[in-house]
Amino acid sequence: MSSSNEISAGVSSSSCPAAPASPISASEKILLLDMDGVLAEVSKSYRGAIIATCQEYGAVITDDTISEWKARGGCNNDWKLSLDLIESYRNEHGKAGDLPTLDAVTNTFERIYQGDETKNIPGLADLETLICTKQHLEQLKDKCCGGTSAKNMAIVTGRPRKDCMKFLKLHHIDHLFDACVCMEDGPPKPDPFPVVEACRLLGVDPTRMADVLMVGDT
């Protein structure tokens, strides 16, 4: 999601494993990748869910408006962003009435994004695609490792962990990432925590932060 506030520290063994704290050679680099807008094309999924959620509460929001808000920073949690956009729209257009609760907006968003398998209703998450190719990611992995078996690629995302892992597994790239830092793990970007935590999980010596590259879309 760019839903990032997205606080249980660590990575479960059923998802991306944490790397052992063995030293990393000078020939290796650390690559941290954001997910939305870097790996995942989300204009029809997360952004579509924001627009549709706002519409259910009478707020007409465009993709350009979402981009403007996200460019300001601090808008990684799409549930909270949806609520803020609804409030802003109502204030700007003099709309009366009580605001929906964050829980209500979150439930609406998740229904639209996830869909309902029991009713055979697809969610907008099904529209997400992989921006780069799996082969490209495999090549990046090989270059980062410097010909070794070192663990040095990780995901740093504001998505909830279940959404992160769902995307990685759907596109058969989960094995390429040695750690995932997600919404539940701590403060979101631009707080340094997600990057620092990813490096900790990869066993990166803090004195070698110059060898860490973070790729994001903002």
Side-chain angles (χ1 to χ4, degrees):
M1 189 188 247
S2 297
S3 126
S4 224
N5 279 359
E6 318 168 5
I7 287 187
S8 69
V11 178
S12 68
S13 58
S14 61
S15 58
C16 296
S22 56
I24 299 170
S25 73
S27 64
E28 299 158 10
K29 301 296 180 183
I30 306 301
L31 180 60
L32 309 179
L33 297 179
D34 194 358
M35 180 162 282
D36 300 342
V38 175
L39 288 179
E41 166 53 52
V42 297
S43 60
K44 296 179 180 179
S45 58
Y46 274 124
R47 291 203 171 203
I50 293 172
I51 292 171
T53 298
C54 290
Q55 285 178 338
E56 288 214 10
Y57 295 97
V60 180
I61 303 298
T62 66
D63 188 69
D64 287 342
T65 301
I66 296 172
S67 294
E68 290 172 6
W69 278 62
K70 284 187 173 289
R72 302 173 189 173
C75 294
N76 289 323
N77 187 321
D78 288 349
W79 305 324
K80 180 65 166 58
L81 175 58
S82 297
L83 178 58
D84 290 343
L85 287 168
I86 293 166
E87 181 178 15
S88 175
Y89 182 88
R90 288 189 175 187
N91 289 339
E92 289 178 7
H93 293 80
K95 301 288 185 180
D98 295 333
L99 276 174
T101 65
L102 179 58
D103 283 345
V105 170
T106 298
N107 290 335
T108 301
F109 183 102
E110 287 296 291
R111 170 172 51 79
I112 294 168
Y113 177 77
Q114 304 289 356
D116 188 341
E117 291 184 0
T118 64
K119 298 180 181 178
N120 200 30
I121 300 175
L124 295 184
D126 295 346
L127 301 178
E128 292 178 350
T129 58
L130 184 62
I131 292 175
C132 59
T133 65
K134 180 182 177 182
Q135 181 181 22
H136 190 192
L137 290 172
E138 290 171 340
Q139 292 172 345
L140 284 174
K141 179 75 171 176
D142 289 342
K143 286 188 176 183
C144 287
C145 288
T148 74
S149 59
K151 300 179 184 294
N152 46 22
M153 269 177 60
I155 295 292
V156 176
T157 180
R159 286 189 179 214
R161 187 170 302 281
K162 66 175 183 176
D163 292 351
C164 172
M165 297 311 303
K166 178 180 179 179
F167 182 86
L168 294 179
K169 291 178 179 179
L170 179 63
H171 294 281
H172 309 291
I173 56 175
D174 52 306
H175 66 288
L176 297 174
F177 297 96
D178 309 298
C180 297
V181 180
C182 302
M183 179 182 74
E184 300 91 342
D185 294 321
K189 297 169 290 184
D191 189 287
F193 170 82
V195 170
V196 173
E197 176 68 359
C199 291
R200 183 189 71 80
L201 293 170
L202 293 175
V204 179
D205 184 332
T207 65
R208 293 195 59 242
M209 294 300 284
D211 293 323
V212 178
L213 175 65
M214 172 72 202
V215 181
D217 66 334
T218 56

